[in-house]
């Protein structure tokens, strides 16, 4: 499964961006789809995830500001980011976890899109 992330850029604090992730092919065996980010600590952290049972989980740092949603018809994942802060500056990655009987659970990653928030 190929993932293509886009939508990053430079924005002032308080501004908004919407990240998009296009999934290269449709799949009915998705366990979860998520956005991660890697910032100054160089550690990749979970930002938000949609699980196959419908649950949505957000990192505490983005609750109330970010919204994750899927467009199943277009095989796309989005992250609406509002009230951006300088500490949101990072490379954002989309992730898809797929299960098949032959491979088990496998993670797929997009190439990352850079979000820079200026103060």
């Amino acid at each position: 499964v190929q993932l293509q992330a886009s939508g990053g850029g430079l924005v002032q604090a308080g501004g908004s961006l919407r990240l998009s992730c296009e999934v290269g092919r449709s799949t009915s065996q998705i366990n979860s789809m998520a956005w991660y980010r890697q910032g100054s600590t160089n550690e990749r952290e979970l930002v938000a995830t949609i699980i196959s049972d419908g649950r949505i989980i957000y990192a505490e740092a983005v609750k109330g500001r970010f919204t994750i949603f899927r467009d199943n018809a277009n095989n796309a994942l989005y992250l609406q980011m509002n009230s951006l802060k300088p500490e949101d500056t990072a490379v954002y990655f989309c992730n898809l976890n797929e299960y098949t009987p032959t491979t088990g659970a496998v993670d797929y990653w997009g190439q990352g899109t850079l979000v820079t928030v200026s103060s």
Side-chain angles (χ1 to χ4, degrees):
V1 179
Q2 288 189 328
L3 306 178
Q4 181 71 37
S6 61
L10 174 63
V11 64
Q12 287 188 329
S16 298
L17 282 175
R18 177 176 291 188
L19 304 184
S20 301
C21 179
E22 295 184 15
V23 181
R25 64 168 171 80
S26 62
T27 172
S28 60
Q29 302 292 337
I30 296 175
N31 287 331
S32 64
M33 295 190 73
W35 288 97
Y36 286 75
R37 67 186 180 186
Q38 189 167 337
S40 58
T41 64
N42 217 33
E43 293 182 1
R44 194 169 294 192
E45 61 178 4
L46 177 68
V47 176
T49 184
I50 299 177
I51 302 173
S52 59
D53 62 6
R55 286 181 294 154
I56 295 176
I57 299 171
Y58 293 98
E60 284 296 325
V62 307
K63 278 183 180 179
R65 300 188 297 122
F66 291 10
T67 302
I68 186 172
F69 57 100
R70 287 175 60 179
D71 181 347
N72 293 328
N74 293 308
N75 290 331
L77 178 72
Y78 300 94
L79 184 69
Q80 178 66 42
M81 305 186 295
N82 299 328
S83 302
L84 281 161
K85 304 176 181 180
E87 51 264 44
D88 295 319
T89 295
V91 178
Y92 285 72
F93 299 88
C94 57
N95 165 272
L96 184 153
N97 184 274
E98 179 188 56
Y99 174 84
T100 69
T102 53
T103 65
V106 178
D107 277 313
Y108 298 92
W109 296 91
Q111 84 285 7
T113 184
L114 177 62
V115 172
T116 303
V117 184
S118 62
S119 57

